[in-house]
mmCIF file of all heavy atoms in Angstrom:
data_model
loop_
_atom_site.group_PDB
_atom_site.id
_atom_site.type_symbol
_atom_site.label_atom_id
_atom_site.label_comp_id
_atom_site.label_asym_id
_atom_site.label_seq_id
_atom_site.Cartn_x
_atom_site.Cartn_y
_atom_site.Cartn_z
ATOM 1 N N THR P 220 10.551 24.271 -1.204
ATOM 2 C CA THR P 220 11.827 24.844 -0.767
ATOM 3 C C THR P 220 12.396 24.183 0.484
ATOM 4 O O THR P 220 13.580 24.337 0.782
ATOM 5 C CB THR P 220 11.665 26.352 -0.489
ATOM 6 O OG1 THR P 220 10.751 26.551 0.601
ATOM 7 C CG2 THR P 220 11.138 27.077 -1.725
ATOM 8 N N THR P 221 11.575 23.467 1.220
ATOM 9 C CA THR P 221 12.049 22.829 2.455
ATOM 10 C C THR P 221 12.899 21.604 2.134
ATOM 11 O O THR P 221 12.522 20.764 1.321
ATOM 12 C CB THR P 221 10.860 22.403 3.338
ATOM 13 O OG1 THR P 221 10.090 23.550 3.678
ATOM 14 C CG2 THR P 221 11.352 21.731 4.610
ATOM 15 N N GLU P 222 14.047 21.495 2.784
ATOM 16 C CA GLU P 222 14.935 20.355 2.570
ATOM 17 C C GLU P 222 14.524 19.201 3.496
ATOM 18 O O GLU P 222 15.194 18.879 4.482
ATOM 19 C CB GLU P 222 16.391 20.757 2.807
ATOM 20 C CG GLU P 222 16.917 21.723 1.767
ATOM 21 C CD GLU P 222 18.402 21.990 1.916
ATOM 22 O OE1 GLU P 222 19.026 21.444 2.854
ATOM 23 O OE2 GLU P 222 18.945 22.749 1.093
ATOM 24 N N TRP P 223 13.396 18.602 3.153
ATOM 25 C CA TRP P 223 12.914 17.465 3.931
ATOM 26 C C TRP P 223 13.950 16.346 3.900
ATOM 27 O O TRP P 223 14.542 16.067 2.858
ATOM 28 C CB TRP P 223 11.602 16.937 3.343
ATOM 29 C CG TRP P 223 10.558 17.963 3.070
ATOM 30 C CD1 TRP P 223 10.238 18.516 1.866
ATOM 31 C CD2 TRP P 223 9.658 18.555 4.027
ATOM 32 N NE1 TRP P 223 9.220 19.415 2.001
ATOM 33 C CE2 TRP P 223 8.835 19.469 3.319
ATOM 34 C CE3 TRP P 223 9.487 18.405 5.400
ATOM 35 C CZ2 TRP P 223 7.855 20.218 3.936
ATOM 36 C CZ3 TRP P 223 8.504 19.153 6.025
ATOM 37 C CH2 TRP P 223 7.701 20.046 5.302
ATOM 38 N N ASP P 224 14.145 15.683 5.018
ATOM 39 C CA ASP P 224 14.988 14.486 4.993
ATOM 40 C C ASP P 224 14.296 13.384 4.204
ATOM 41 O O ASP P 224 14.951 12.584 3.525
ATOM 42 C CB ASP P 224 15.264 14.016 6.423
ATOM 43 C CG ASP P 224 16.147 14.992 7.182
ATOM 44 O OD1 ASP P 224 17.296 15.201 6.751
ATOM 45 O OD2 ASP P 224 15.672 15.558 8.181
ATOM 46 N N LEU P 225 12.964 13.359 4.296
ATOM 47 C CA LEU P 225 12.191 12.366 3.560
ATOM 48 C C LEU P 225 10.833 12.909 3.187
ATOM 49 O O LEU P 225 10.140 13.504 4.021
ATOM 50 C CB LEU P 225 11.987 11.105 4.411
ATOM 51 C CG LEU P 225 11.073 10.016 3.825
ATOM 52 C CD1 LEU P 225 11.702 9.389 2.582
ATOM 53 C CD2 LEU P 225 10.745 8.943 4.855
ATOM 54 N N ALA P 226 10.468 12.699 1.922
ATOM 55 C CA ALA P 226 9.081 12.894 1.485
ATOM 56 C C ALA P 226 8.510 11.496 1.275
ATOM 57 O O ALA P 226 8.960 10.763 0.392
ATOM 58 C CB ALA P 226 9.017 13.697 0.195
ATOM 59 N N LEU P 227 7.560 11.120 2.114
ATOM 60 C CA LEU P 227 6.939 9.795 2.049
ATOM 61 C C LEU P 227 5.597 9.925 1.345
ATOM 62 O O LEU P 227 4.702 10.634 1.822
ATOM 63 C CB LEU P 227 6.756 9.231 3.456
ATOM 64 C CG LEU P 227 6.134 7.835 3.571
ATOM 65 C CD1 LEU P 227 6.987 6.789 2.853
ATOM 66 C CD2 LEU P 227 5.940 7.453 5.031
ATOM 67 N N VAL P 228 5.450 9.242 0.224
ATOM 68 C CA VAL P 228 4.277 9.410 -0.639
ATOM 69 C C VAL P 228 3.381 8.191 -0.497
ATOM 70 O O VAL P 228 3.701 7.094 -0.973
ATOM 71 C CB VAL P 228 4.707 9.592 -2.106
ATOM 72 C CG1 VAL P 228 3.493 9.929 -2.979
ATOM 73 C CG2 VAL P 228 5.766 10.680 -2.220
ATOM 74 N N THR P 229 2.228 8.375 0.151
ATOM 75 C CA THR P 229 1.337 7.248 0.435
ATOM 76 C C THR P 229 -0.024 7.417 -0.235
ATOM 77 O O THR P 229 -1.042 6.950 0.277
ATOM 78 C CB THR P 229 1.165 7.066 1.958
ATOM 79 O OG1 THR P 229 0.697 8.297 2.530
ATOM 80 C CG2 THR P 229 2.470 6.672 2.610
ATOM 81 N N VAL P 230 -0.051 8.087 -1.385
ATOM 82 C CA VAL P 230 -1.277 8.183 -2.167
ATOM 83 C C VAL P 230 -1.471 6.870 -2.923
ATOM 84 O O VAL P 230 -0.597 6.005 -2.929
ATOM 85 C CB VAL P 230 -1.210 9.366 -3.160
ATOM 86 C CG1 VAL P 230 -1.040 10.683 -2.422
ATOM 87 C CG2 VAL P 230 -0.069 9.178 -4.169
ATOM 88 N N LEU P 231 -2.619 6.723 -3.587
ATOM 89 C CA LEU P 231 -2.834 5.574 -4.448
ATOM 90 C C LEU P 231 -2.037 5.731 -5.740
ATOM 91 O O LEU P 231 -1.699 6.850 -6.135
ATOM 92 C CB LEU P 231 -4.315 5.424 -4.778
ATOM 93 C CG LEU P 231 -5.272 5.152 -3.613
ATOM 94 C CD1 LEU P 231 -6.712 5.130 -4.113
ATOM 95 C CD2 LEU P 231 -4.922 3.838 -2.919
#
Side-chain angles (χ1 to χ4, degrees):
T220 64
T221 300
E222 292 187 358
W223 311 101
D224 292 298
L225 174 67
L227 181 60
V228 187
T229 56
V230 299
L231 297 176

